[in-house]
Structures are given as structure tokens and as C-alpha cells.
Amino acid sequence: QQQVKQSPQSLIVQKGGISIINCAYENTAFDYFPWYQQFPGKGPALLIAIRPDVSEKKEGRFTISFNKSAKQFSLHIMDSQPGDSATYFCAASFFFSGSARQLTFGSGTQLTVLP
Amino acid sequence: SAVISQKPSRDICQRGTSLTIQCQVDSQVTMMFWYRQQPGQSLTLIATANQGSEATYESGFVIDKFPISRPNLTFSTLTVSNMSPEDSSIYLCSVVYRDHTGELFFGEGSRLTVL
């Protein structure tokens, strides 16, 4: 009930291409879905997040698509750049009383963008 | 931007010893969490650090092994007790800020190697 399944495990994309990472969750009570970006030796940094009342959220080159009925959400990185090479984690949580609660993370996707 | 300071940033320890990791944040937070990230793996929640009371531990983590303190709204410690090589991981402090939109932020982690 608490799992978040993420795919692919690794992804190689050419510069300028589109990177797509997918996640699926089981617990229908989850209502907050963030994506984190982690560079080697650094802590995860919040990239973009979505609540289930919208189907898509875009911030710059990063877009989250959310399918509530399928219990799936995905991250699209448009015009991928070598600087985007990092590990990406999806996560899910409960959003209660104005705050996110403890996150359940996906297994991570190591993205490599070739120059 | 949020400032979450963890000390030490890295350490090498001997089997059987204990190490205390500190997390200091720059403003009041509503929630603090401790996560573990084993090499090349995803993040697993250890516990929620509760101010002035015992931490709430996740399944598989116990207070005797990972005692946690949170004496005030901006500071917490995690101790890894009686360490073994299996405890070699990155330990991450995570917080929800009172004046943000309830999102979780992470420190840069404390990389622990147990010989």
C-alpha cells in the first residue's frame, strides 16, 4: 500500500531530447507527488510537485503529468541538457494541515544526457 | 532559500562505535525527519523527530539503534549506535518549513563509512 514504483532505473538521452520518467503508486490516500533531483554528494532537491486536483504542472523545462485513475505520474524533461544528468526520485505523501508528511520514495532513475 | 546544516558531512568509523549526526535549520520548522540512503539506493524513512518527545520510528528501525533527539524547533540529532559495516550509508535530515507550502527540504547528508 505504501510502495511507489519508478521506471526506468537508468535513462540515456541525447542533448535536446525529451527525458521521461514514470512512477506508479498504490495508496489512493496519497495526495502530494513531488519529484526530487539529486547530484552526486548532494542531498535531494525538490524539483517540482503536484497535487491530484490538476492533471499537469509545468515549470520551465520540467512537466509533471498526473493520471489519478491510473494512479500514475510522470516527469518530462524537455530539451534535456548535460547539466540535467542526475538521479531523479519520485515520491508520494499525504498532505495534511498545510504540510507534507513523510515521503515514500521511488527507487530512482539515473539520467545521463549526452552532449 | 532554506538552509539545513548537517554535521559531520562525512566520517569513517570503527565497528562497534556510535556516531551522532546533528541537523540545524535556519528557521522554525513544523516537521523534521531522518532518512537513510544506502549506496546507490533510494531513500528510506528512519523516523519522525518530535519536539520534546520520543521520535516515531518506521518499521525496521528501533530507538536503541537510532536514538533521536529534538530539543527545539530548529535542531535534531540522530545517533547510529553500535555500528556495523551495514550501517554505511548517507543519513539525511529533512524538514518542512512553517512558512513554505508544506514541501520537504533535505540537508546535504552525512556520509558514514563503517570499517
Side-chain angles (χ1 to χ4, degrees):
Chain A
Q1 283 292 319
Q2 297 291 343
Q3 281 190 326
V4 177
K5 296 181 180 180
Q6 183 172 348
S7 63
Q9 185 176 8
S10 63
L11 180 62
I12 299 174
V13 175
Q14 293 287 339
K15 179 182 177 181
I18 303 174
S19 304
I20 301 175
I21 305 171
N22 301 300
C23 284
Y25 62 98
E26 299 175 351
N27 191 335
T28 56
F30 286 143
D31 61 357
Y32 173 67
F33 303 91
W35 285 88
Y36 283 83
Q37 179 188 57
Q38 186 177 31
F39 293 104
K42 300 292 186 180
L46 179 64
L47 191 61
I48 187 172
I50 197 168
R51 302 290 303 279
D53 51 345
V54 296
S55 60
E56 185 174 283
K57 183 175 181 180
K58 183 177 181 179
E59 292 183 1
R61 297 185 293 109
F62 301 91
T63 300
I64 298 179
S65 297
F66 184 79
N67 186 329
K68 187 174 182 178
S69 61
K71 294 187 288 185
Q72 295 176 347
F73 58 109
S74 60
L75 176 68
H76 293 65
I77 305 175
M78 311 300 289
D79 187 25
S80 299
Q81 299 296 312
D84 296 331
S85 297
T87 301
Y88 291 81
F89 293 96
C90 64
S93 178
F94 309 100
F95 207 86
F96 180 73
S97 296
S99 293
R101 300 306 183 189
Q102 52 266 46
L103 292 169
T104 298
F105 282 87
S107 54
T109 297
Q110 187 166 346
L111 172 65
T112 302
V113 181
L114 301 176
Chain B
S1 60
V3 177
I4 305 169
S5 300
Q6 282 190 235
K7 292 181 180 179
S9 59
R10 58 178 63 233
D11 207 340
I12 300 173
C13 302
Q14 295 297 321
R15 179 194 298 261
T17 62
S18 298
L19 178 74
T20 296
I21 301 167
Q22 299 180 358
C23 178
Q24 177 74 55
V25 299
D26 60 337
S27 60
Q28 291 186 355
V29 299
T30 57
M31 302 193 75
M32 295 182 78
F33 306 99
W34 286 97
Y35 284 82
R36 181 175 73 181
Q37 186 174 27
Q38 294 177 302
Q41 301 296 314
S42 186
L43 291 87
T44 301
L45 179 65
I46 298 172
T48 302
N50 300 308
Q51 185 197 358
S53 64
E54 189 172 293
T56 304
Y57 290 85
E58 298 299 306
S59 176
F61 297 96
V62 295
I63 187 171
D64 290 345
K65 177 67 175 177
F66 298 101
I68 289 171
S69 76
R70 188 182 172 191
N72 57 52
L73 291 174
T74 62
F75 184 78
S76 179
T77 65
L78 166 73
T79 299
V80 186
S81 303
N82 188 24
M83 288 182 287
S84 67
E86 292 72 33
D87 295 320
S88 297
S89 292
I90 301 172
Y91 292 87
L92 294 144
C93 174
S94 172
V95 304
V96 176
Y97 277 90
R98 189 180 296 278
D99 57 353
H100 277 70
T101 56
E103 296 157 347
L104 273 71
F105 294 87
F106 284 84
E108 296 209 336
S110 298
R111 183 182 295 271
L112 176 61
T113 301
V114 184
L115 303 178

